[in-house]
Amino acid sequence: MSYIPAIEIDCTYKNTINLHVLGYGIDYTNPAFNALGENIYKQERSLAIEKLKKTNELFHVHLTEEQLLKIMPNGVFTGEAFGEALLNDPAYHDAEFLKPYREGGARSNNPYVNFYWDFYSQGKPIYVEVKYPTLEETIKLIKENGGIPVLAHPGNNLKGQFEVFDDMVKLGIEGVEAFSSYHTKETCEYFYNKAKEYDLLYTCGSDFHGKTKPSIFLGENNCFIDPSEIEEKLKAYHLI
């Protein structure tokens, strides 16, 4: 079995849309990737206490840094970590704001990540801005290191504005994760057809995150085509 060296990079498009871009076939030994990761880590660490303060103020709770460090020892407090801490703290067992995330609730299928999406993601009340590289910078970094830039789960990040994908192709995106656990059949079809239209690499991904997304299984990606078709595309790009 062969493996494709790859990376996923958070970036922004026109400072308005946060994206995830995959770099397939990169030279992962280049220290530029570690430098980028270190920069983002430092920002996340510096913003952790701000997120804690905002969480306690919004929900009128008393979470502590010590509670979160038990979940995220590296000191990066994600929205998922806040959800886990609150849902497992007996003091908030009957809290109304947590009921949608408990068993049987409307957001209980993936409670931790749904808590993140509802309160900590871009545009939500506890969002704090991290300075990510631009999409153009990310594409350039990936290509300079022999990689293929592929837009991850666009149906999730481009909700209501799929048309901007065309502009991203013009900027140098060479592939799209057409099939994803986030996507409906219609969304999969849309980006599969876009990949065909622009002759792009098309891929699939489950976005499996273990306990963070318990209803998503490894390999689950809503792909409706013969997987060998994707394999042939990977071969055409000399990735396998």
Side-chain angles (χ1 to χ4, degrees):
M1 179 182 291
S2 59
Y3 295 91
I4 305 170
I7 191 172
E8 183 177 56
I9 299 176
D10 287 57
C11 60
T12 61
Y13 175 69
K14 294 187 175 180
N15 294 317
T16 58
I17 306 175
N18 287 350
L19 303 168
H20 293 171
V21 173
L22 304 160
Y24 280 96
I26 59 163
D27 174 12
Y28 63 89
T29 63
N30 190 320
F33 293 113
N34 283 335
L36 175 59
E38 184 64 25
N39 174 269
I40 293 172
Y41 170 73
K42 286 179 179 178
Q43 291 185 67
E44 291 278 11
R45 284 286 289 116
S46 69
L47 295 168
I49 300 305
E50 181 183 346
K51 282 195 277 189
L52 176 58
K53 181 181 177 182
K54 284 188 172 186
T55 300
N56 284 336
E57 289 177 349
L58 180 67
F59 299 121
H60 305 291
V61 296
H62 302 284
L63 279 183
T64 66
E65 188 175 358
E66 289 69 30
Q67 283 176 280
L68 291 160
L69 285 170
K70 289 178 182 178
I71 299 169
M72 299 292 292
N74 66 356
V76 174
F77 300 159
T78 63
E80 294 91 337
F82 282 103
E84 182 176 352
L86 287 164
L87 285 165
N88 289 286
D89 190 328
Y92 310 114
H93 184 270
D94 297 318
E96 284 294 322
F97 74 93
L98 290 175
K99 286 186 177 179
Y101 307 93
R102 297 199 184 280
E103 186 174 356
R107 302 289 281 160
S108 62
N109 61 331
N110 292 308
Y112 300 158
V113 76
N114 284 339
F115 195 77
Y116 157 75
W117 286 118
D118 294 343
F119 297 105
Y120 299 84
S121 61
Q122 191 175 21
K124 301 301 181 178
I126 310 179
Y127 174 72
V128 295
E129 185 179 8
V130 173
K131 297 293 184 182
Y132 294 118
T134 65
L135 176 61
E136 294 92 330
E137 290 169 336
T138 300
I139 290 171
K140 183 172 183 288
L141 177 62
I142 290 170
K143 287 188 174 183
E144 285 179 346
N145 286 277
I148 308 296
V150 176
L151 185 64
H153 43 67
N156 190 44
N157 296 104
L158 301 182
K159 287 178 181 175
Q161 46 191 336
F162 286 180
E163 67 280 359
V164 302
F165 178 71
D166 299 82
D167 293 330
M168 294 175 181
V169 173
K170 293 175 184 176
L171 290 175
I173 282 291
E174 295 182 6
V176 61
E177 193 177 65
F179 307 104
S180 167
S181 61
Y182 286 116
H183 293 177
T184 63
K185 184 176 185 293
E186 292 73 21
T187 299
C188 289
E189 288 175 343
Y190 180 89
F191 286 104
Y192 174 64
N193 289 331
K194 278 293 177 182
K196 290 283 193 177
E197 176 185 344
Y198 288 114
D199 192 24
L200 304 175
L201 173 66
Y202 43 91
T203 66
C204 57
S206 64
D207 215 54
F208 173 75
H209 279 243
K211 69 174 181 178
T212 304
K213 301 177 183 178
S215 73
I216 295 175
F217 299 95
L218 191 63
E220 177 187 347
N221 52 52
N222 295 317
C223 182
F224 58 76
I225 64 172
D226 187 333
S228 64
E229 189 177 322
I230 295 176
E231 184 178 355
E232 289 304 311
K233 291 294 288 186
L234 291 171
K235 288 179 179 176
Y237 280 82
H238 306 292
L239 292 170
I240 59 174

